[in-house]
Amino acid sequence: MGRKILITGGAGFIGSHLCRALLSRGDHVLCVDNYITGARENIEDCLPHENFSLREHDISEPMYVKGGLDWVLHFASIASPKEYLAYPIKTLKSGLLGTHNCLGIAKEKGARFLLASTSEVYGDPARHPQPEEYWGNVNPIGERSCYDESKRAAEALTYAYYRQHKVQVSAVRIFNTYGPHMQVDDGRVVSNFIVQALRGQKVTVYGKGSQTRSFCYVDDLARGILAVMETEYAPPLNIGNPQEYTIEELARQVCVLTGSGSALEYAPLPADDPVRRRPDISKIQSLCGWQPEVSLQDGLQRTIEYFKNKLSKR
Ligand code: UDP
């Protein structure tokens, strides 16, 4: 029969991969997106599917769904620093009002709810690697706070519904993820570096490039998220690839894999840019047996192919 699943941000980067994975298992998917950072072309191949329906809607406004739902997956959010700095209020609204609306739907339908949370709840972490118990180091009024604090409040709302209304919930704290369906100009490091290298432009390393991130390929992430949903585990879980690289190492690897002769160009570091980030994934590993399988090199190669194809059509 398959489950009935509402996914917000379903035409976005991660949401679109989840839509495809759910349809291929036989689930029914109601995809909601306002196309601020999502795109119809990300779900083009889902559109003809008989179990797929699409609604253009901004989830920070209330939404009504007919019939039953088994799962509500809340992925709608601007997630790239460049874009949330440009739209801080919209970012806060999808984290606060959007999460509230989705929890209301999950409560009414008796559905299991998943919050797409973020490693940004740890801010510029004073503890490394970051376990779920770490409470974080976030500037509550800084430029990034529209994202960090709205996701922290979204987690608080999620667990308030869990405690007060007994809604079955889960939250995944997603660490840096990359792959096909990122936007060409979303400003995130992997898409920026690949697009710059493919265009023969200078690759813009912010700061000294000694800051670190840990990069997870989107297929690994989607598989992990679906594994979490099959459990009844409620507390937040880190999800990401614990292999950590400096941003300069990433820039050099992208130049090698694209065969680009691009030089690196050093630019100022954005405000409150975290110095180090690496997930402790022992909880999700022991709960679901999940761990990432795609190496950075393989994932980058697949992503480079995607962007090559995309840029050739522009
Ligand atoms: N970054 C960079 N050059 C770029 C884009 C990003 O050096 O063109 C750096 C950014 O300062 C940060 C890291 O890459 O240290 C990851 O940035 P991203 O925007 O992808 O996400 P974040 O992890 O900061 O949320």
Side-chain angles (χ1 to χ4, degrees):
M1 282 296 285
R3 291 191 176 92
K4 293 200 170 67
I5 298 169
L6 166 66
I7 174 163
T8 71
F13 163 45
I14 296 173
S16 59
H17 288 274
L18 287 170
C19 286
R20 192 159 304 107
L22 293 167
L23 289 174
S24 71
R25 311 189 319 179
D27 292 326
H28 296 249
V29 176
L30 169 56
C31 166
V32 173
D33 212 294
N34 62 0
Y35 303 120
I36 287 191
T37 55
R40 226 180 132 89
E41 60 182 296
N42 288 343
I43 43 157
E44 209 71 66
D45 56 323
C46 300
L47 294 173
H49 204 291
E50 58 179 358
N51 292 345
F52 187 74
S53 41
L54 179 62
R55 198 183 295 185
E56 183 170 352
H57 181 80
D58 182 337
I59 195 59
S60 61
E61 303 291 338
M63 193 181 88
Y64 300 92
V65 179
K66 279 193 198 144
L69 283 174
D70 299 300
W71 290 356
V72 175
L73 311 179
H74 181 35
F75 278 77
S77 179
I78 295 173
S80 137
K82 175 185 155 196
E83 286 167 341
Y84 59 67
L85 294 181
Y87 299 104
I89 297 169
K90 274 202 183 305
T91 304
L92 277 153
K93 284 172 81 175
S94 62
L96 303 173
L97 308 178
T99 303
H100 188 214
N101 290 331
C102 285
L103 282 161
I105 296 171
K107 174 176 166 249
E108 187 206 318
K109 306 289 183 187
R112 179 155 159 73
F113 173 80
L114 176 79
L115 174 69
S117 186
T118 171
S119 55
E120 289 278 332
V121 300
Y122 302 122
D124 187 7
R127 191 162 161 193
H128 192 79
Q130 295 79 58
E132 287 86 349
E133 293 74 26
Y134 177 53
W135 288 358
N137 177 33
V138 174
N139 176 349
I141 56 161
E143 288 180 7
R144 295 173 87 103
S145 65
C146 58
Y147 187 62
D148 300 9
E149 292 292 14
S150 70
K151 289 291 188 180
R152 287 166 68 93
E155 287 197 7
L157 260 173
T158 299
Y159 293 98
Y161 270 70
Y162 173 69
R163 291 190 191 99
Q164 190 176 331
H165 295 307
K166 313 293 174 219
V167 174
Q168 292 306 304
V169 302
S170 202
V172 280
R173 293 180 176 157
I174 300 172
F175 283 64
N176 293 67
T177 300
Y178 69 100
H181 298 180
M182 294 183 95
Q183 301 169 86
V184 166
D185 54 358
D186 78 356
R188 283 192 268 198
V189 70
V190 173
S191 44
N192 259 15
F193 284 1
I194 292 177
V195 170
Q196 289 163 341
L198 289 175
R199 287 179 169 157
Q201 297 167 343
K202 287 189 175 150
V203 169
T204 53
V205 173
Y206 300 159
K208 292 186 180 142
S210 55
Q211 70 273 34
T212 68
R213 295 292 186 273
S214 307
F215 299 100
C216 187
Y217 189 66
V218 67
D219 286 357
D220 277 336
L221 188 94
R223 185 170 50 79
I225 288 171
L226 296 183
V228 170
M229 284 306 288
E230 296 301 341
T231 72
E232 292 181 354
Y233 191 80
L237 283 165
N238 287 339
I239 185 164
N241 189 322
Q243 285 216 319
E244 185 182 358
Y245 297 86
T246 68
I247 293 304
E248 194 182 71
E249 282 169 341
L250 177 75
R252 297 204 187 283
Q253 187 152 0
V254 167
C255 289
V256 170
L257 294 175
T258 50
S260 164
S262 288
L264 308 191
E265 175 180 63
Y266 291 83
L269 193 67
D272 298 332
D273 198 278
V275 175
R276 296 194 297 176
R277 185 185 285 158
R278 171 153 63 103
D280 175 337
I281 59 165
S282 43
K283 280 215 169 51
I284 188 171
Q285 264 175 325
S286 59
L287 180 73
C288 315
W290 176 85
Q291 59 180 28
E293 285 169 0
V294 181
S295 67
L296 183 65
Q297 180 166 334
D298 277 5
L300 285 177
Q301 258 152 354
R302 294 185 213 178
T303 312
I304 289 166
E305 281 316 303
Y306 170 78
F307 278 114
K308 257 190 203 163
N309 187 28
K310 198 154 171 116
L311 294 179
S312 72
K313 290 182 186 153
R314 286 198 150 201

